[in-house]
Amino acid sequence: LFQPGLNEDSAATALWGSQQAELRGEGKYQGVFGLWYGKGPGVDRSGDVFRHANLAGTSRYGGVLVAMGDDHTGESSTTLHQSEYALVDAMMPILSPAGVQEILDYSAFGWALSRHAGVWVGLKCVKDTVEVSEVVDGQINKVTLAENGKLPDCDGSIRLTDLPIDQEKRLHLNKLPAVKQFAKINKLDRVVLKNKNAKIGIISAGKSWLDVSHALQILGITKVAAGKLGISTYKVGMVWPIEPDGLIEWAKGLETIIVVEEKRKLIEG
């Protein structure tokens, strides 16, 4: 069902309501998955809903994905937005796809993460990865989720009776740790150029990862060449919160880490 919203805030509020549909046994379905989309200014104006809904939680059998459209060169926007910080302030996890295939794949991961951890999940979309043509694998079973049996229930679902202090405690102690655990088990981050003797590490995500890959290609730094030069690369799928274990393991032995990202530093911090 495509339900047009009157504006970004009312659309987000409607999705918040969709996660409450079965709380009193009135819902027609076990759960509803929602997709919100808007440009940077829409993210700004909908911050109130994002914060409240993320604290409240998602349906036990549903979830919400927030596709934030950022236009870093201002080709069709009033500002050169970088929306990640608005979602970080509301403590919403953010996935950063590099290309159309990953937009599809990360959407599946994002809804699964939203359902599992009871959080709204951001999906970083820039014109360089959205307004493009790409041959993709659209098979329904392309994405394999490692959930059942490996991830304990974090009890982050929305509930009828809830207090603000309990919501915040649950977000910090239950939901965000579950987010990191989900990212680790589903291997959202990965080492691309593996090199045990590397001294220089390059880390990036999303559109910036495509730039890094292109730069290495132009410079003729293949897997063999990277081995000789002592270079290793790490691709981040979830830019906030960073899954620490994989990153720490990759960083062992490195003398220099180069972080390549868009506009204000997020991964570096």
Side-chain angles (χ1 to χ4, degrees):
L1 171 70
F2 175 76
Q3 181 67 50
L6 181 65
N7 57 44
E8 295 91 343
D9 335 18
S10 62
T13 305
L15 289 178
W16 183 12
S18 75
Q19 302 304 294
Q20 305 174 44
E22 83 285 359
L23 279 179
R24 293 184 174 88
E26 300 168 345
K28 296 180 180 179
Y29 310 99
Q30 281 186 308
V32 178
F33 288 97
L35 170 65
W36 181 97
Y37 65 94
K39 286 189 178 182
V43 172
D44 287 345
R45 66 177 287 164
S46 302
D48 173 31
V49 185
F50 290 164
R51 186 184 303 276
H52 277 86
N54 189 53
L55 281 164
T58 56
S59 165
R60 183 172 181 83
Y61 299 110
V64 177
L65 200 62
V66 172
M68 43 177 180
D70 285 344
D71 182 8
H72 293 169
T73 56
E75 290 188 11
S76 61
S77 305
T78 53
T79 60
L80 314 183
H81 252 79
Q82 182 185 15
S83 295
E84 288 99 316
Y85 280 96
L87 299 194
V88 169
D89 190 55
M91 311 209 81
M92 292 168 53
I94 303 165
L95 303 177
S96 186
V100 180
Q101 182 69 66
E102 285 195 350
I103 290 176
L104 297 175
D105 295 348
Y106 284 9
S107 293
F109 280 120
W111 269 313
L113 171 58
S114 178
R115 177 183 64 234
H116 168 67
V119 290
W120 284 36
V121 177
L123 187 73
K124 171 80 169 182
C125 297
V126 293
K127 67 179 186 61
D128 308 85
T129 56
V130 173
E131 296 179 1
V132 295
S133 297
E134 184 177 320
V135 177
V136 298
D137 183 348
Q139 294 183 79
I140 197 70
N141 60 349
K142 180 183 182 298
V143 173
T144 302
L145 296 166
E147 293 182 278
N148 297 333
K150 294 184 179 180
L151 292 171
D153 186 2
C154 77
D155 193 29
S157 302
I158 197 168
R159 56 206 69 196
L160 279 174
T161 306
D162 213 359
L163 296 174
I165 192 168
D166 293 330
Q167 289 183 343
E168 181 151 313
K169 179 181 179 181
R170 194 161 57 246
L171 178 63
H172 285 275
L173 299 185
N174 295 26
K175 293 160 73 168
L176 289 179
V179 167
K180 295 178 183 179
Q181 188 181 31
F182 179 96
K184 179 179 179 179
I185 290 179
N186 283 284
K187 300 178 180 178
L188 295 183
D189 305 337
R190 58 190 174 92
V191 180
V192 179
L193 286 179
K194 298 181 180 180
N195 188 349
K196 293 182 179 180
N197 300 315
K199 298 301 178 184
I200 300 172
I202 305 173
I203 179 173
S204 192
K207 170 60 168 62
S208 293
W209 171 260
L210 297 178
D211 295 337
V212 168
S213 301
H214 190 205
L216 293 174
Q217 184 181 13
I218 291 173
L219 293 169
I221 301 178
T222 61
K223 185 176 181 179
V224 174
K228 293 179 180 178
L229 293 168
I231 296 174
S232 178
T233 59
Y234 191 76
K235 182 183 183 300
V236 177
M238 186 173 72
V239 293
W240 194 89
I242 292 286
E243 192 288 301
D245 295 343
L247 180 60
I248 291 170
E249 182 62 31
W250 168 73
K252 287 179 180 178
L254 296 178
E255 296 176 357
T256 302
I257 296 178
I258 302 169
V259 186
V260 183
E261 47 190 335
E262 303 149 358
K263 294 178 72 67
R264 295 164 64 191
K265 58 186 179 183
L266 180 68
I267 296 173
E268 183 181 350

